[in-house]
Amino acid sequence: MVAPVISARGLRKTFGEFVAVDGIDFEVPPGESFGLLGPNGAGKSTTMRMVGAVSQRTAGELRVLGLDPDTHGPEIRSQLGVVPQDDNLDTELKVRDNLIVYGRYFGISRALCAQRADELLGFAQLEEKAKARVDDLSGGMKRRLTIARALINEPRILMLDEPTTGLDPQARHVLWDRLFRLKERGTTLVLTTHYMDEAEQLCDRLVVVDHGRIMAEGSPSALIRQYSTREVCELRFGSERNADAAARLEGLADRVETLPDRVLLYTDDGEGLLERVARLGLHPTTSLVRRSSLEDVFLRLTGRSLVE
């Protein structure tokens, strides 16, 4: 069997009496795209910092590329690429120089940095912006440049924290394409995201974390099969009628969930359920049948209450 590039057993991190990560277990094999999902404060970023060898664990075992991050931090960090949530590019340098200067931090020769910079500008579709100021780039371009910079040392693991936050749909899809290409090259991706469609697109496997603990683990499709139904029927009767309608709909679906603006019915046959709803004499103002998504799983496991 191929040894995992990341292995955690009973991984725990506390800050005083506050438990940020509460004894989690997971492994990431080489070449996998692995996701950490969870609400704010769930422990995702704390886990990423421990894996990235910039925060020591409180207890448990952790190995990254076969090494202990607490004792071999520099060796591990030299083989990682890190894409933070907020772009931290050097605005005083031109686009290409951002890559070259960053590469020099890893002890890479200037000539090799220049060669890799040109290759990465092509990969990020930024060749025409090589001599441009960073401040003149769009948000999507800055994000692609940040990813290109993280690849200058040819890392074995690329860690991405909310890679497409704040980007428009076109920029998101361009970025997804770049990450797909990295997967095809065999780069291991570890990412956090609040976009469930992004997790479905990018992650081979993921864990859902809440209050520092793993609530579920598996591929997106497997989690949907385990925690949801094939389809979801969304019915709107009006904010004052939804609760009464939901009470009459109990028993028609695997699960009925009442929200302020609509009623969700989880079923394997949405169209058939709509027919049964009509036979009850219930006539929603709008109805929608859609396939279950990772968002349905996420909200079932972590709840719909806002966490700050």
Side-chain angles (χ1 to χ4, degrees):
M1 294 181 63
V2 179
V5 293
I6 302 173
S7 176
R9 290 287 180 271
L11 184 61
R12 183 177 173 86
K13 178 69 175 183
T14 61
F15 298 93
E17 296 184 357
F18 176 71
V19 180
V21 177
D22 193 8
I24 63 175
D25 302 339
F26 66 90
E27 288 187 348
V28 181
E32 182 176 70
S33 180
F34 179 79
L36 286 162
L37 273 63
N40 293 331
K44 307 183 303 298
S45 295
T46 301
T47 301
M48 292 277 275
R49 286 195 293 270
M50 288 188 286
V51 171
V54 294
S55 177
Q56 290 193 337
R57 64 189 182 275
T58 303
E61 298 180 3
L62 179 62
R63 293 291 181 274
V64 180
L65 301 171
L67 302 173
D68 184 338
D70 288 356
T71 57
H72 293 79
E75 295 95 324
I76 291 172
R77 289 191 293 271
S78 70
Q79 301 181 75
L80 298 181
V82 179
V83 179
Q85 183 173 347
D86 297 318
D87 295 321
N88 56 355
L89 299 165
D90 193 329
T91 57
E92 296 182 2
L93 298 176
K94 301 293 180 64
V95 167
R96 184 172 181 269
D97 292 337
N98 260 273
L99 302 179
I100 294 174
V101 170
Y102 192 74
R104 295 290 288 156
Y105 293 147
F106 290 93
I108 304 171
S109 70
R110 184 172 295 276
L112 185 54
C113 281
Q115 176 186 330
R116 290 183 183 175
D118 292 335
E119 293 171 355
L120 288 169
L121 288 174
F123 171 78
Q125 296 180 318
L126 291 172
E127 303 101 317
E128 296 181 359
K129 299 293 184 178
K131 297 182 180 180
R133 289 164 40 90
V134 168
D135 284 341
D136 294 335
L137 301 181
S138 68
M141 290 177 180
K142 289 179 181 177
R143 209 63 181 139
R144 297 204 302 276
L145 179 58
T146 302
I147 291 176
R149 187 188 63 178
L151 297 171
I152 194 72
N153 60 322
E154 297 186 336
R156 293 176 60 186
I157 302 174
L158 180 63
M159 303 178 65
L160 306 109
D161 191 4
E162 305 289 343
T164 65
T165 295
L167 300 186
D168 60 45
Q170 290 86 354
R172 288 180 71 205
H173 281 274
V174 171
L175 198 57
W176 286 356
D177 176 68
R178 301 300 98 179
L179 295 177
F180 276 127
R181 291 176 184 239
L182 288 175
K183 283 178 59 178
E184 290 176 343
R185 294 181 184 182
T187 303
T188 302
L189 306 181
V190 179
L191 64 104
T192 71
T193 180
H194 284 301
Y195 296 124
M196 297 300 108
D197 59 335
E198 181 163 272
E200 287 192 56
Q201 288 282 341
L202 296 180
C203 296
D204 301 315
R205 191 168 54 89
L206 54 90
V207 293
V208 179
V209 183
D210 196 17
H211 295 98
R213 298 179 178 178
I214 292 178
M215 310 296 291
E217 178 178 354
S219 68
S221 60
L223 290 174
I224 291 171
R225 288 194 301 270
Q226 183 176 357
Y227 292 98
S228 191
T229 52
R230 190 169 67 88
E231 295 181 335
V232 180
C233 186
E234 299 190 2
L235 306 179
R236 286 180 166 84
F237 297 92
S239 58
E240 296 181 355
R241 298 179 54 215
N242 282 335
D244 291 339
R248 295 182 60 185
L249 293 169
E250 287 291 344
L252 285 188
D254 291 30
R255 185 162 61 93
V256 178
E257 185 175 5
T258 306
L259 304 181
D261 62 330
R262 63 196 186 278
V263 179
L264 303 182
L265 298 104
Y266 294 85
T267 179
D268 288 331
D269 181 9
E271 294 298 334
L273 187 144
L274 282 180
E275 294 177 2
R276 296 195 296 276
V277 170
R279 287 198 293 269
L280 285 176
L282 293 172
H283 303 287
T285 56
T286 65
S287 62
L288 169 69
V289 175
R290 61 171 175 81
R291 75 173 184 89
S292 281
S293 68
L294 196 57
E295 184 166 326
D296 295 305
V297 174
F298 180 84
L299 291 173
R300 181 174 185 182
L301 291 170
T302 65
R304 292 181 180 271
S305 297
L306 184 62
V307 177
E308 295 290 356

